[in-house]
Amino acid sequence: MSPLPENTLIGMCNPLLDIQTTVEKSFLDKWGLKENDAILCDDKHNDMFTELTRDFSVEYIPGGAAQNSLRVAQWILNNPNRTVFFGAVGKDQYGELLASKAKEAGVNVQYQVNETVKTGTCAALINGTHRSLCAHLAAANTFTQDHLQKEENQKIIEQAKYFYVTGFFITVCPPAILQLASHSAEFNKTFTLNLSAPFISQFFFDKLSEIIPLVDVLFGNEDEAAAFAKANGWETTCVKEVALKAAALPKKSSKPRLVVFTQGPEPVIVVEGDKVTEFPVTRLEKEEIVDTNGAGDAFVGGFLSQFIQGKGIEASVTCGSYAAQEIIKKHGCTVPSVCKYH
């Protein structure tokens, strides 16, 4: 197999610094947050961020869903700059920290830097084995499509063969997503999308529906699958049925859509065309579970690390599950120093 060229995979999403800590359920209730959910914060959450940094012992961990996935993919590939990341940060210490951590991991970060708005943050609140995410996008929300038009970024887009965008980015810059997805379809490349969170299907379904016909690989978890089904008006919450229906939605190119839905410790459901396969997941002991923040991102990172090398679906799912388990054993989306997958 020929070596993987630089800039093979482009990721695009919101680069955020996770402010992570452990909280009681009462804290989530107080701020109107749910376990295992991800939302955009509104003004009422400003005081929550103040309270977190004042009264709790917090860790600052580089976050942002697609950036996490790329860091994990790079860790497994063990060959820098196979992946590139587009997103917006502020001209500040947090933005510099995100860039240095991503580069350290081998990701070629091509941020759009906003001189006036600060880098986005995300409260990552751990409660037992659950995680609740509340994102304050700030600079991440200011990404504009013209960043992709820059000559150096155009070259990267031409080099890339795979694209990974999260549903979260639909709230920021749909034209940029459509640009990458359309380019991918035109040149017979592979465009992958993550449903990311129930609120994307609930509140941004029109924009999501514009992108779906261009999606070659669709990722999600069981809650996101249920929200996607409801938004489509499908009378089912059965993950297999939703995956089959999602795979059968209209598509621009002729290659069959691949749908990959994770279900925590339950089997990974994969649909290719009209064929359903279940891949069992090795269950971790309760004492091995440190926190589940970043597990879904890690699964995608592991999956794509194999998929972009042309390895089959089984190898990709196996590596995705391996990566998710490694992340669950540590705080935040942080990887062990050595990757034992090889």
Side-chain angles (χ1 to χ4, degrees), residues 216-328:
D216 298 305
V217 185
L218 183 68
F219 295 102
N221 66 22
E222 70 275 42
D223 296 337
E224 293 148 12
F228 185 65
K230 195 173 177 189
N232 274 293
W234 302 336
E235 299 287 316
T236 180
T237 53
C238 166
V239 179
K240 278 189 216 172
E241 279 183 48
V242 178
L244 278 164
K245 285 179 179 290
L249 286 169
K251 193 165 180 301
K252 285 266 165 73
S253 74
S254 57
K255 59 181 163 193
R257 181 181 292 118
L258 187 67
V259 177
V260 183
F261 286 158
T262 57
Q263 311 182 83
E266 300 305 320
V268 178
I269 304 289
V270 177
V271 169
E272 192 175 16
D274 56 4
K275 181 169 143 267
V276 186
T277 316
E278 287 187 59
F279 295 93
V281 173
T282 311
R283 280 176 182 263
L284 291 176
E285 297 299 323
K286 196 156 197 270
E287 53 276 14
E288 290 183 282
I289 299 172
V290 175
D291 86 58
T292 56
N293 182 27
D297 301 337
F299 175 85
V300 172
F303 184 98
L304 289 175
S305 76
Q306 305 307 298
F307 197 70
I308 65 174
Q309 296 182 72
K311 295 187 181 174
I313 292 165
E314 188 170 353
S316 302
V317 171
T318 302
C319 189
S321 295
Y322 161 77
Q325 291 193 334
E326 289 295 328
I327 293 299
I328 288 169

Side-chain angles (χ1 to χ4, degrees), residues 94-166:
Y94 283 179
E96 284 167 20
L97 178 65
L98 279 179
S100 72
K101 289 286 187 190
K103 284 174 186 160
E104 216 173 276
V107 179
N108 176 6
V109 281
Q110 298 295 330
Y111 291 146
Q112 186 174 31
V113 179
N114 189 313
E115 304 271 336
T116 54
V117 184
K118 65 184 184 25
T119 296
T121 49
C122 179
L125 308 173
I126 309 301
N127 168 243
T129 60
H130 305 289
R131 64 99 181 102
S132 187
L133 305 177
C134 184
H136 180 45
L137 296 183
N141 203 30
T142 67
F143 187 93
T144 52
Q145 190 182 0
D146 58 1
H147 185 61
L148 300 183
Q149 319 294 15
K150 283 179 154 178
E151 195 182 334
E152 61 270 33
N153 293 339
Q154 281 287 323
K155 281 194 179 126
I156 290 171
I157 291 166
E158 282 164 27
Q159 280 176 302
K161 295 280 184 281
Y162 293 84
F163 301 88
Y164 174 59
V165 180
T166 61

Side-chain angles (χ1 to χ4, degrees), residues 195-209:
L195 292 174
S196 293
F199 82 86
I200 301 296
S201 289
Q202 287 159 354
F203 305 116
F204 296 90
F205 188 65
D206 289 353
K207 294 278 184 242
L208 177 59
S209 298

